[in-house]
Amino acid sequence: MKNNFQEISLNLNVRGLPQSATLAINELSNQLRKEGKMIYRLGLGQSPFPVPQPVVDELKANAHQKDYLPVKGLPQLREAVADYHCRTHGICYTAEDVLIGPGSKELMFLLQYTYYGDLVIPTPSWVSYAPQALIIGRQVRWIKTNRKNNWRLSAEQLEEQCKDDETKPRIVILNYPSNPVGVSYSESELKDIAAVAKKHKIILLSDEIYGELHHEGKHLSIARYYPERTIISGGLSKWCGAGGWRLGTFVFPGNLNGRLKEIMAVMASETFTSTSAPIQYAAVRAFQGGSEIENYLWRSRWILKKISQIIVLKLSSVGLHVCQPDGAFYLFPDFSDVRESIEKKGVKTSSELCKKLLEDTGVALLPGSAFGRPDEELTARLAYVDFDGSRAISACKTFTNSDGIDEQFLKNYCGNILKAIDLICDWIKS
Ligand code: PLP
């Protein structure tokens, strides 16, 4: 008897796509939770902080907005996003250069669909870039980074990748502070990468969704050094704690604005039509900034930085290699140096590592293989977000600097994370 699956004709591009690693870990977490086990959620990359109050107030005030908005976005929002980039990066754009979408992920998909070229990404990279390319039927060219360079792309590696065919159309995605490592690039490194991109006329998608969460507030956009073909990707999901609101932004340079942006807008008009109206009105307030939002951002950065420093110290003390991040809320520990003791637990791959760690300790991480690393390499992504961000941020409301955010503060407000890290350390030592 034929089963239903055989009768359904599937697009060849999606036929072999595996289930995401995030889902597998989530399913196991849910099952263990049901069995009464305490689960430490260091797998899912969601901001722990609340949406800033002025932005929430603006959403409430605009709940009645019910009309479809222009496909490229609410004009006031496009203007606020352009102003935001002038103010924060010193790169001047106009409202015309901005495209609004229901999350930057959707805009990335439209970009990959619209532009006919290979996708070049470093490994490790965020989980969705490569599957999007595969769904569309594009080639993915991975550039393998190493831990000596803090898992970052170098200008030399990019040059090497482009050598085979100088004229081939390509999109390169550079994401920093990065998911999964949390690292950023210095000004001179950005200049060097920009010079290679310019030489090969690469379309550079600079995914700066964690830019505002640079722990020192020192994010620099590569668009400064390669304005001709850099598209800046951003949105509300990470720095504004509003992942579920679904609002993303693309900012185009003048010369790509006409062709690429217009065709992406046509695609948008035939797929999602426009982004939710109340959310767009509220987003205007978020991009306008001001002191309340600045205070919120500084407190978020101080807390994230202190947590990351303590985790790096603790994990390094039991023999893991882990780089100190510059921003975002991720770490990318490498367990290779303690492979021997881990293999004794029957673990040989990054997926087995995460599964066993979850079963033994209740700590959920994501395997490095989900980010494009070889499965036999014992790397994993740790998202230090399992705490009540509203409580933590109000507890430091009156702080004028980060001095008060010490280990005791973290014990009081981010206790679960410290407990989870101690469990990982004990697991390695046991
Ligand atoms: N880029 C990176 C590196 C991310 O980590 C994420 C979300 O996790 C996104 C883009 C997508 O963000 P959104 O679609 O919510 O704007």
Side-chain angles (χ1 to χ4, degrees):
M1 199 177 76
K2 270 191 191 172
N3 64 31
N4 281 343
F5 184 73
Q6 281 168 325
E7 284 165 15
I8 300 169
S9 164
L10 290 177
N11 181 330
L12 282 179
N13 292 346
V14 298
R15 211 169 270 186
L17 279 185
Q19 191 194 40
S20 89
T22 324
L23 234 75
I25 289 288
N26 279 349
E27 277 171 18
L28 183 57
S29 301
N30 291 340
Q31 184 200 320
L32 292 171
R33 199 175 290 123
K34 265 195 210 144
E35 290 165 14
K37 196 171 172 86
M38 169 75 185
I39 300 296
Y40 299 86
R41 285 160 302 173
L42 310 193
L44 193 68
Q46 172 159 288
S47 165
F49 299 113
V51 178
Q53 197 53 44
V55 185
V56 172
D57 293 341
E58 204 59 25
L59 181 63
K60 287 183 187 162
N62 282 285
H64 64 284
Q65 303 282 0
K66 63 169 195 59
D67 292 342
Y68 290 118
L69 292 180
V71 65
K72 290 177 198 160
L74 178 72
Q76 302 92 291
L77 176 57
R78 295 174 74 201
E79 194 159 339
V81 172
D83 287 351
Y84 162 85
H85 282 87
C86 301
R87 207 172 60 236
T88 54
H89 299 313
I91 321 166
C92 282
Y93 295 100
T94 68
E96 252 318 288
D97 302 322
V98 177
L99 193 58
I100 307 294
S104 59
K105 193 186 220 177
E106 182 64 30
L107 293 175
M108 286 174 198
F109 186 78
L110 293 189
L111 173 69
Q112 291 213 55
Y113 196 94
T114 308
Y115 186 75
Y116 196 84
D118 288 357
L119 176 70
V120 179
I121 41 176
T123 149
S125 270
W126 176 51
V127 291
S128 291
Y129 303 135
Q132 287 193 347
L134 298 175
I135 290 168
I136 295 165
R138 301 278 186 269
Q139 289 283 343
V140 181
R141 312 272 173 206
W142 292 98
I143 300 184
K144 201 164 175 218
T145 67
N146 58 59
R147 75 183 206 186
K148 264 199 227 132
N149 192 28
N150 288 350
W151 310 103
R152 295 170 318 151
L153 177 73
S154 70
E156 293 74 27
Q157 284 176 310
L158 185 59
E159 177 65 52
E160 187 64 31
Q161 174 68 36
C162 296
K163 247 178 27 196
D164 60 340
D165 180 351
E166 302 254 325
T167 56
K168 196 183 230 171
R170 298 179 175 88
I171 295 179
V172 174
I173 304 184
L174 192 68
N175 165 229
Y176 66 98
S178 81
N179 176 2
V181 191
V183 288
S184 216
Y185 292 85
S186 69
E187 184 177 10
S188 71
E189 287 161 341
L190 290 175
K191 282 183 176 165
D192 291 347
I193 294 172
V196 177
K198 190 180 246 172
K199 178 175 162 199
H200 297 284
K201 296 196 173 66
I202 286 166
I203 302 264
L204 191 61
L205 180 67
S206 187
D207 183 351
E208 302 183 22
I209 193 133
Y210 296 99
E212 283 290 4
L213 290 182
H214 186 289
H215 295 168
E216 306 279 339
K218 287 187 178 154
H219 178 72
L220 256 182
S221 178
I222 193 168
R224 279 190 188 205
Y225 313 113
Y226 181 44
E228 302 90 325
R229 285 173 167 242
T230 301
I231 302 168
I232 305 176
S233 177
L236 295 186
S237 297
K238 308 298 173 178
W239 68 266
C240 199
W245 285 22
R246 309 308 301 131
L247 187 128
T249 60
F250 262 23
V251 183
F252 291 80
N255 53 337
L256 293 184
N257 193 339
R259 283 167 295 161
L260 256 184
K261 192 196 72 194
E262 293 306 320
I263 298 174
M264 281 176 65
V266 171
M267 300 249 320
S269 75
E270 301 296 2
T271 50
F272 61 78
T273 306
S274 62
T275 304
S276 155
I279 300 292
Q280 291 203 59
Y281 281 97
V284 175
R285 180 66 193 83
F287 283 102
Q288 279 168 346
S291 62
E292 225 173 310
I293 291 182
E294 273 304 302
N295 281 344
Y296 160 92
L297 276 173
W298 276 109
R299 283 178 277 144
S300 311
R301 291 169 188 150
W302 292 338
I303 296 169
L304 293 174
K305 181 173 175 183
K306 189 67 193 178
I307 302 177
S308 71
Q309 286 175 333
I310 289 189
I311 304 183
V312 168
L313 266 178
K314 287 188 182 229
L315 294 184
S316 311
S317 76
V318 292
L320 301 196
H321 174 277
V322 52
C323 4
Q324 179 59 48
D326 301 302
F329 31 71
Y330 305 112
L331 290 165
F332 197 63
D334 181 0
F335 293 66
S336 306
D337 298 344
V338 293
R339 181 179 281 277
E340 216 176 289
S341 76
I342 290 196
E343 280 190 348
K344 285 190 193 134
K345 299 177 197 293
V347 165
K348 286 205 161 54
T349 65
S350 67
S351 340
E352 288 168 4
L353 168 71
C354 292
K355 187 165 175 277
K356 185 81 176 118
L357 186 69
L358 180 56
E359 284 165 350
D360 290 356
T361 65
V363 180
L365 305 183
L366 290 185
S369 55
F371 300 86
R373 299 301 302 177
D375 201 25
E376 60 280 7
E377 179 185 270
L378 295 178
T379 48
R381 188 195 75 178
L382 184 158
Y384 42 98
V385 294
D386 190 0
F387 63 98
D388 181 346
S390 301
R391 245 185 102 234
I393 222 160
S394 6
C396 56
K397 207 168 193 157
T398 54
F399 292 8
T400 50
N401 59 41
S402 62
D403 292 353
I405 301 179
D406 52 16
E407 198 157 348
Q408 190 53 50
F409 180 96
L410 297 190
K411 275 189 188 141
N412 295 342
Y413 298 100
C414 313
N416 257 8
I417 296 184
L418 300 188
K419 181 87 203 331
I421 301 305
D422 287 342
L423 286 168
I424 300 177
C425 294
D426 292 344
W427 185 75
I428 288 164
K429 286 188 283 181
S430 69

